Amino acid sequence: MDAPRRMGRQKRPRVPESARKRAAQACVPCRYHKEKCGGGQPCARCRQYNRACRFETAALQRSGRETNDNATGSGSNPKAQDREAVMMRIIKHFIGDVATDTASLQSIADALEKRSPDHDVQIISATTEPEPENFSLEPLSSSAMHYYGELSHWNFSQTLLRRLRSLGSGTGQNHGIDKVRGVHRATDLQSPTSVVSSAMVYFPPRDIGEFLTETFLQFAQTNYFYFDERTLRQKMDYYYSNEHALAIHDAGWICTLLMTFAIGTQFAYMQMKPTQMSLHLSQEIPDDRAGLELYRFSCRLIPDLITVASVETVQAFLLLGSYTVPIDTSGLAYTYYGLATKMAIQNGMHRDSSHLSLDPDTLEWRNRLWWSAYSLESRISILHGRPVSVSRLEVDAKFPTDQALPLPTGRASNLENVNANIFLTGQLSKVSQTIMHLRGCPRFQQKSHLQELMVIRSNLSKWWSTLPAEVHCRDLTPTGPLFRCNVHLELSYDTMIIYMGRPFIFAPKPSLSLGSDASSESPINTLSTDCLNAAIRIIDLCQLLHDSVGIARVSYTEFSSCRAALLALIAHSLNHQADRVLNSLSQGMILIRQMCVGVESARSDVAAIEALELARQRLQRQEDRKQEGNHNVDSGYSQFQRWAQLWQPDSLTSHLMPTPAPGSLADLPENLTPPSFDGFFASLPQELDSFATITGSDQLFLDDSWLGEIRSSIMSEEGSIPFGPGL
């Protein structure tokens, strides 16, 4: 009985706290780095290395000591000790020489559980970093940081640096470690200060600047965050005082202010009364010279915005994209949103930064700005057929909250709408991936992808019904403080439903549906019907905007949703003619013509929709004439009488059928004209002669290739309409 007792570790006498030469409990970072901890909160080493100093709870430490005492005490089982010793040998063989107390083993076990299931091996050594430190964020200034991922060269060099510091801490020498340089800034690439200092010439008078800022916040911001209003107004006070020389680090806020004013000029007319606005939209709006000049000067600051790469540059690129999104959605706006996302990633805004030593307002604003950039870039990319630049799996930033950044008195918070919009963006990405898998999969796999779409549809419907119906999200009272925000949110929701059901409008149902092909409850019928209902709902919402606060001519959300609804209605009308479809189609054409006034890119899109609608009407008239001819067929006796008259002596020469000219179908009787789509599309350019006067129609390419695209759109046999990007 004495031998096993001697095998255990001898229990050391407890040393009083006053006699201890080191801290009673080391913090977690010092334990991981094998460094001496001096105690305190934070300890000296964590302050020196700018680490998040934290301690394990006392209960967990006591649990670890009790476990070790029980395992090595005098009353332990020898077989249990042997089993534990063998297990410790196995652990040290695979993951190295690690601490064997309960707290350390628990942290290692947690790390193993969090690793990706497709990783076969994960090496954990004595230098393993805690979970929040698997990336590096190097502060460069008060508003700029440099992000390095877990597998980057910089992150590994910092691991080596910490290891060298820990090895040299016992000797009291740093061996030149302090001479290691930090992140290099390419200041030589920055423009002269004169470029930024000339910006004050473009600032409007203070009262006009206040008017344009208020216009932006009221009509342009809706369900995204672009800047903190309190900070923006402080910056306006700072720059309008004209007592400070502008430097290159002011480029971010200068561009943010100028583009806020520029976007305000786009929506300034909406400050008029509804009656005046209708008269204003019915006329040709002159080119917005003031906003264009503000934009052109802001473009001169782009090289410096990229070089500085701060949080303010993310704001500036978001506003540049928002100004150009109604003008060049898939070009300039797509590029600006991509730059905003890249600047945000460079600052590490896509990662959880709660462990950094930042004040709550700064942390909250980083999260808000990231999710706005991510949502805008992802939505534009998906709706225009582009790959999303950042995978959702790479993002762990916290969602916006209302714990910081209070709004000025009297302004309602759009936080609920912003979070709902973020959720819709994530679901839109899922729908896009599922549809792409459905298009390219074998026939036997189509059932599972259709079921996946139905699950997304069901979850969306349940989620939408749980959103708040008062003030936020689903309140459509025109006098409400968030009326346009709520309408825009539902427009985004309905556009997603159209995007989900549009590929199945022309789908051959027997080849894709589940179970009974003729059942009205099949997934294809359900998704197609939802698409039709969502299109009609969008037209109703746009009409509601028009009748209340006015419809915007530069709103991408309003124009793109109305455009998608009209295309879906045209497609559905080819399957069956229904009064509510045709009525919504006529109503939507009137609305979208008002939205394109003064916007050249929108004119071109509307001209294409007009051509498709005209082609549909031409086809319908041809079908109506054919049906009318079938209904007017005479009885058999009447036909016999006319045939018998041919045998009269004076009838054999007087009733001869005229011989048509070769190749002429116009001279044939209607009931003898063959129903040919080629004949219809060959006459389409002549049918569009009256349409040629519509503004923007000169941008259409009415040649054989363009007619072929319309023909393939209407006669598609692949189960979807090949709409162009963004339709």
Side-chain angles (χ1 to χ4, degrees):
M1 294 296 293
D2 294 338
R5 186 177 296 113
R6 287 194 299 269
M7 289 176 59
R9 183 182 301 173
Q10 297 297 323
K11 189 173 181 180
R12 297 171 57 184
R14 181 175 179 81
V15 180
E17 296 291 338
S18 58
R20 289 180 179 271
K21 296 182 180 181
R22 62 176 64 190
Q25 179 185 356
C27 66
V28 174
C30 288
R31 292 212 330 268
Y32 270 105
H33 299 307
K34 302 291 185 179
E35 297 172 349
K36 180 180 178 181
C37 182
Q41 182 66 26
C43 67
R45 288 191 179 274
C46 287
R47 286 198 306 269
Q48 178 183 358
Y49 300 142
N50 194 23
R51 299 186 307 213
C53 185
R54 63 186 189 279
F55 292 84
E56 297 289 351
T57 61
L60 186 58
Q61 294 294 330
R62 287 195 301 269
S63 176
R65 288 196 297 268
E66 292 172 359
T67 302
N68 290 336
D69 292 342
N70 293 335
T72 60
S74 58
S76 59
N77 189 344
K79 293 185 178 180
Q81 287 185 351
D82 294 341
R83 183 170 62 250
E84 181 180 351
V86 173
M87 292 175 63
M88 294 308 303
R89 288 172 55 194
I90 296 174
I91 292 175
K92 291 183 178 181
H93 173 77
F94 283 103
I95 64 177
D97 189 10
V98 297
T100 59
D101 59 281
T102 304
S104 300
L105 294 177
Q106 181 67 39
S107 62
I108 295 174
D110 293 341
L112 289 171
E113 290 178 355
K114 291 180 180 179
R115 70 181 178 91
S116 177
D118 55 355
H119 291 172
D120 295 330
V121 178
Q122 179 175 359
I123 301 176
I124 303 177
S125 63
T127 60
T128 300
E129 300 291 338
E131 185 66 20
E133 297 181 9
N134 60 357
F135 60 89
S136 297
L137 269 177
E138 299 297 326
L140 304 178
S141 66
S142 59
S143 62
M145 295 186 180
H146 226 76
Y147 168 80
Y148 296 96
E150 181 177 4
L151 302 180
S152 65
H153 297 313
W154 175 268
N155 207 40
F156 185 69
S157 68
Q158 295 303 298
T159 301
L160 287 176
L161 181 62
R162 289 191 295 267
R163 184 63 173 172
L164 289 171
R165 281 173 174 168
S166 64
L167 293 176
S169 61
T171 62
Q173 300 178 359
N174 56 26
H175 301 285
I177 295 177
D178 295 337
K179 296 181 180 180
V180 178
R181 298 181 60 184
V183 180
H184 173 67
R185 299 300 305 275
T187 55
D188 296 339
L189 302 179
Q190 296 175 354
S191 302
T193 306
S194 58
V195 176
V196 182
S197 60
S198 61
M200 294 306 302
V201 179
Y202 293 86
F203 271 58
R206 181 62 186 267
D207 55 343
I208 297 179
E210 293 286 354
F211 168 78
L212 294 176
T213 301
E214 186 63 29
T215 301
F216 175 91
L217 295 171
Q218 185 175 353
F219 297 102
Q221 183 167 252
T222 59
N223 299 322
Y224 300 96
F225 291 121
Y226 294 95
F227 49 75
D228 177 26
E229 182 179 350
R230 297 176 306 163
T231 307
L232 180 83
R233 297 193 181 279
Q234 292 173 3
K235 292 296 181 178
M236 288 180 64
D237 295 336
Y238 176 81
Y239 292 116
Y240 269 106
S241 64
N242 202 20
E243 298 176 357
H244 312 277
L246 300 182
I248 199 66
H249 65 268
D250 295 312
W253 270 114
I254 290 292
C255 188
T256 298
L257 287 169
L258 292 179
M259 290 313 302
T260 301
F261 300 151
I263 298 174
T265 62
Q266 292 179 317
F267 290 88
Y269 74 96
M270 297 194 69
Q271 296 282 15
M272 297 186 299
K273 296 179 180 180
T275 55
Q276 296 175 333
M277 191 185 307
S278 300
L279 179 63
H280 187 67
L281 286 175
S282 63
Q283 303 172 355
E284 186 70 16
I285 299 178
D287 188 15
D288 186 1
R289 302 301 305 177
L292 190 59
E293 290 300 323
L294 293 174
Y295 167 76
R296 287 175 175 171
F297 176 80
S298 298
C299 289
R300 297 171 59 186
L301 301 176
I302 290 178
D304 296 311
L305 296 177
I306 297 176
T307 304
V308 174
S310 62
V311 175
E312 290 80 14
T313 64
V314 180
Q315 299 175 168
F317 280 122
L318 282 180
L319 292 170
L320 285 165
S322 298
Y323 178 82
T324 56
V325 71
I327 303 171
D328 189 9
T329 307
S330 59
L332 281 173
Y334 171 77
T335 303
Y336 285 137
Y337 288 144
L339 286 171
T341 305
K342 293 296 187 296
M343 294 293 102
I345 293 176
Q346 188 169 338
N347 280 273
M349 297 165 65
H350 65 302
R351 302 303 304 267
D352 182 8
S353 305
S354 58
H355 64 284
L356 299 177
S357 300
L358 299 175
D359 61 276
D361 284 4
T362 301
L363 286 173
E364 176 62 26
W365 181 241
R366 285 169 59 89
N367 295 332
R368 292 188 178 190
L369 202 57
W370 162 254
W371 283 113
S372 295
Y374 176 79
S375 299
L376 285 165
E377 196 267 346
S378 299
R379 185 172 182 80
I380 294 296
S381 299
I382 294 172
L383 294 182
H384 288 262
R386 310 282 177 82
V388 179
S389 60
V390 183
S391 171
R392 182 65 179 84
L393 300 176
E394 300 292 334
V395 179
D396 60 0
K398 295 185 179 300
F399 291 106
T401 64
D402 57 355
Q403 298 178 359
L405 298 173
L407 289 172
T409 304
R411 192 179 302 280
S413 172
N414 63 340
L415 180 64
E416 293 282 351
N417 294 61
V418 172
N419 284 329
N421 200 45
I422 295 171
F423 177 81
L424 282 178
T425 302
Q427 296 301 304
L428 181 62
S429 178
K430 290 183 180 180
V431 171
S432 175
Q433 295 173 6
T434 305
I435 291 178
M436 295 302 296
H437 293 159
L438 181 61
R439 286 181 181 273
C441 72
R443 188 178 299 272
F444 68 89
Q445 293 181 355
Q446 293 173 351
K447 178 178 179 180
S448 61
H449 293 306
L450 279 173
Q451 288 177 336
E452 186 176 352
L453 276 179
M454 292 299 294
V455 170
I456 296 176
R457 170 191 173 274
S458 177
N459 293 338
L460 268 176
S461 178
K462 294 178 181 177
W463 168 80
W464 182 257
S465 62
T466 60
L467 291 178
E470 296 182 1
V471 180
H472 301 93
C473 298
R474 292 193 297 134
D475 180 23
L476 299 183
T477 305
T479 57
L482 296 176
F483 171 66
R484 290 191 77 252
C485 297
N486 297 340
V487 172
H488 278 209
L489 183 63
E490 186 167 353
L491 287 175
S492 299
Y493 172 77
D494 291 328
T495 302
M496 180 177 171
I497 300 300
I498 292 177
Y499 186 83
M500 187 185 307
R502 192 172 61 186
F504 306 104
I505 297 176
F506 292 153
K509 297 176 177 57
S511 63
L512 287 178
S513 60
L514 302 174
S516 176
D517 296 333
S519 173
S520 61
E521 299 298 328
S522 66
I524 289 180
N525 286 335
T526 300
L527 294 171
S528 179
T529 302
D530 286 349
C531 173
L532 175 60
N533 294 332
I536 295 175
R537 177 61 176 169
I538 284 177
I539 302 301
D540 293 340
L541 290 172
C542 291
Q543 188 66 48
L544 177 63
L545 282 174
H546 176 272
D547 297 339
S548 54
V549 298
I551 198 165
R553 63 182 177 91
V554 290
S555 172
Y556 172 76
T557 301
E558 295 172 18
F559 179 81
S560 63
S561 59
C562 186
R563 181 188 184 191
L566 288 174
L567 290 170
L569 289 172
I570 294 174
H572 275 284
S573 65
L574 298 179
N575 290 338
H576 57 276
Q577 297 287 332
D579 290 341
R580 68 171 190 145
V581 175
L582 298 180
N583 292 338
S584 294
L585 190 54
S586 301
Q587 183 183 7
M589 294 303 300
I590 296 173
L591 291 170
I592 203 169
R593 290 191 191 103
Q594 297 185 16
M595 296 182 193
C596 73
V597 175
V599 184
E600 292 296 330
S601 60
R603 289 176 177 178
S604 177
D605 295 333
V606 173
I609 298 175
E610 289 270 12
L612 290 173
E613 170 60 10
L614 189 60
R616 184 201 65 80
Q617 294 177 4
R618 178 71 174 85
L619 179 63
Q620 183 59 38
R621 286 197 297 268
Q622 187 178 23
E623 292 294 330
D624 292 342
R625 287 197 300 267
K626 180 179 178 181
Q627 294 179 4
E628 183 179 355
N630 293 334
H631 292 159
N632 294 332
V633 175
D634 294 335
S635 64
Y637 180 72
S638 299
Q639 295 181 41
F640 167 73
Q641 281 186 320
R642 285 200 301 270
W643 177 77
Q645 289 176 359
L646 295 176
W647 294 95
Q648 300 296 328
D650 58 346
S651 300
L652 294 178
T653 57
S654 61
H655 294 281
L656 292 177
M657 297 289 291
T659 302
S664 174
L665 296 178
D667 296 331
L668 289 176
E670 285 189 359
N671 58 350
L672 295 180
T673 302
S676 170
F677 281 98
D678 293 332
F680 158 63
F681 282 106
S683 65
L684 182 57
Q686 288 74 27
E687 295 294 329
L688 291 177
D689 286 344
S690 59
F691 173 64
T693 58
I694 297 178
T695 305
S697 61
D698 56 336
Q699 301 184 26
L700 290 174
F701 299 93
L702 298 179
D703 54 9
D704 294 338
S705 62
W706 186 82
L707 297 177
E709 292 181 4
I710 297 181
R711 182 188 297 111
S712 62
S713 297
I714 298 178
M715 299 299 295
S716 174
E717 298 178 357
E718 298 179 358
S720 64
I721 302 178
F723 290 144
L727 294 181

